[in-house]
Amino acid sequence: MESWDPAGVAHLESILVRLSEIGLTDFLRGKVRAVWTANRDRHEPEELGDDSWTLASQSSRNLANLVHADVEGDSQWRSVGVSATKEHNAAVLHVLGAELRLVKVPAQAGRRPGFASDFEWREGARLDAAERNNAVCGALAPMLGMASLFEVERPQGEHPVRACRDVFVVWAGDPASGLTSGWLGLPTTGPDRWLAVVLAWRDEPQPTSVNTDKTTPQPGDVPSFGNGTAPKPAVTLKPQVGKGTQT
């Protein structure tokens, strides 16, 4: 199990609380589940040659487009300080002093990614975000008696990681069950790839519903014997033994 910077974890947890308070965590979870369910339903490996990559890439693109359109098209989000832009066809949410980018867990990792081994920032916007966080945390060097490579302004007494603004909303979907999970993470360029990660949500399987006749009836569920319809007895006459005689 990965070991994260405690201050980074606290920073992410505080962001998660604020996101939950304005409804953004539930919004993102709902969008992830809707997109993943729809794409699983139309996934056709045999007929169309789909594979895990097409499922993941289609879902990622759909999610980015829908999140961007819904946030930009709803004044309610602007009223709580949330806006959205596009960056290389990816959605970026600007909220509460943080920049949120959606990142899909690699397909082979399922819902249990190895954060230190399953992610790589080689180029593009994700690498830029990781480098910005790394630059912010360069302010840690003087605290450790090393020369700082970066000039980063930070509030007096604040741990430098709390100034990291670039946050990834990491999400995963299970192809078999359709269950999803989500995390918040602070990317960096170090060997562990992350300064800290916290769980944002995790779907759990629903209990199997079993319909049996052993349910105890409650008053008013069914008519009582006295209120029910009286059964009609079947009456059959015995055959006559002799002429004019009936027993």
Side-chain angles (χ1 to χ4, degrees):
M1 181 175 179
E2 293 91 352
S3 178
W4 307 124
D5 179 81
V9 170
H11 181 43
L12 287 176
E13 288 176 342
S14 67
I15 293 174
L16 182 59
V17 167
R18 299 199 301 271
L19 297 182
S20 298
E21 287 175 345
I22 63 175
L24 194 61
T25 304
D26 286 341
F27 167 76
L28 292 173
R29 181 180 191 176
K31 287 299 179 186
V32 167
R33 293 175 69 176
V35 165
W36 188 248
T37 298
N39 283 314
R40 280 180 67 247
D41 289 345
R42 66 186 184 187
H43 189 61
E44 297 289 352
E46 296 182 1
E47 291 82 354
L48 299 177
D50 285 333
D51 56 21
S52 60
W53 188 90
T54 61
L55 177 59
S57 60
Q58 182 71 49
S59 298
S60 296
R61 191 65 176 268
N62 292 155
L63 183 63
N65 291 338
L66 289 174
V67 166
H68 178 268
D70 285 3
V71 169
E72 281 297 280
D74 191 341
S75 60
Q76 177 185 353
W77 291 118
R78 290 192 294 277
S79 70
V80 293
V82 182
S83 62
T85 58
K86 278 289 189 73
E87 183 181 67
H88 304 295
N89 293 320
V92 182
L93 299 182
H94 312 275
V95 51
L96 304 172
E99 310 292 316
L100 307 183
R101 289 171 175 80
L102 301 168
V103 174
K104 172 75 172 62
V105 170
Q108 69 273 12
R111 290 201 302 156
R112 298 187 179 278
F115 283 92
S117 58
D118 288 333
F119 296 88
E120 186 73 44
W121 328 124
R122 294 185 178 179
E123 59 183 12
R126 294 180 183 179
L127 176 60
D128 293 342
E131 288 179 336
R132 284 192 293 270
N133 282 344
N134 192 59
V136 168
C137 288
L140 278 171
M143 299 170 58
L144 301 175
M146 299 182 294
S148 177
L149 299 178
F150 308 97
E151 292 296 331
V152 180
E153 183 179 350
R154 62 185 177 88
Q156 186 67 28
E158 280 282 327
H159 193 290
V161 76
R162 290 186 175 273
C164 291
R165 296 169 50 90
D166 287 277
V167 179
F168 287 175
V169 180
V170 184
W171 66 276
D174 179 54
S177 66
L179 301 176
T180 71
S181 296
W183 300 262
L184 295 186
L186 292 172
T188 186
T189 54
D192 289 338
R193 301 288 180 249
W194 305 88
L195 295 167
V197 176
V198 299
L199 182 68
W201 78 82
R202 183 173 179 82
D203 297 340
E204 296 298 339
Q206 295 297 319
T208 303
S209 178
V210 179
N211 186 17
T212 69
D213 295 328
K214 296 181 180 180
T215 304
T216 303
Q218 299 298 317
D221 287 348
V222 295
S224 65
F225 179 81
N227 295 329
T229 303
K232 294 182 180 181
V235 179
T236 304
L237 297 177
K238 292 183 179 181
Q240 294 180 345
V241 177
K243 183 177 181 180
T245 303
Q246 182 176 346
T247 61

